[in-house]
């Protein structure tokens, strides 16, 4: 495997990890601390949940792409 592919795979893996971590932290902050602190109604929590779900779907698609990159590089 060439070093360019290895670097691309590592970069994509770091990107995925960062997306998952930031999505989770922002969702927790909005749901548990910021939303109740400013008195947002409960229906806004559903918006936060959908935004977090979108972030996790994006990460899932990228995980599949990463898996495919690794499969192609092993051939």
């Amino acid at each position: 495997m060439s070093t360019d592919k290895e670097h691309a795979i590592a970069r994509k893996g770091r990107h995925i990890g960062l997306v998952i971590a930031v999505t989770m932290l922002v969702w927790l902050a909005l749901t548990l601390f910021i939303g109740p602190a400013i008195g947002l109604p409960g229906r806004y929590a559903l918006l936060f949940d959908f935004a977090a779900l979108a972030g996790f779907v994006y990460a899932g698609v990228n995980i599949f792409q990463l898996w495919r990159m690794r499969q192609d590089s092993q051939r």
Side-chain angles (χ1 to χ4, degrees), residues 36-72:
I38 60 175
L40 286 176
R43 65 181 179 207
Y44 288 104
L46 187 61
L47 291 176
F48 301 150
D49 293 344
F50 282 138
L53 186 61
F56 290 131
V57 167
Y58 173 78
V61 168
N62 277 285
I63 288 171
F64 179 72
Q65 290 174 351
L66 177 65
W67 176 71
R68 292 296 305 257
M69 285 174 66
R70 291 188 56 161
Q71 293 295 319
D72 291 339

Side-chain angles (χ1 to χ4, degrees), residues 16-53:
I16 293 167
L18 186 65
V19 166
I20 291 170
V22 168
T23 300
M24 192 67 197
L25 289 174
V26 169
W27 176 76
L28 282 172
L30 287 172
T31 304
L32 298 177
F33 303 112
I34 297 172
I38 60 175
L40 286 176
R43 65 181 179 207
Y44 288 104
L46 187 61
L47 291 176
F48 301 150
D49 293 344
F50 282 138
L53 186 61

Side-chain angles (χ1 to χ4, degrees), residues 1-9:
M1 178 168 19
S2 69
T3 58
D4 289 338
K5 286 185 180 181
E6 289 177 7
H7 289 297
I9 289 171

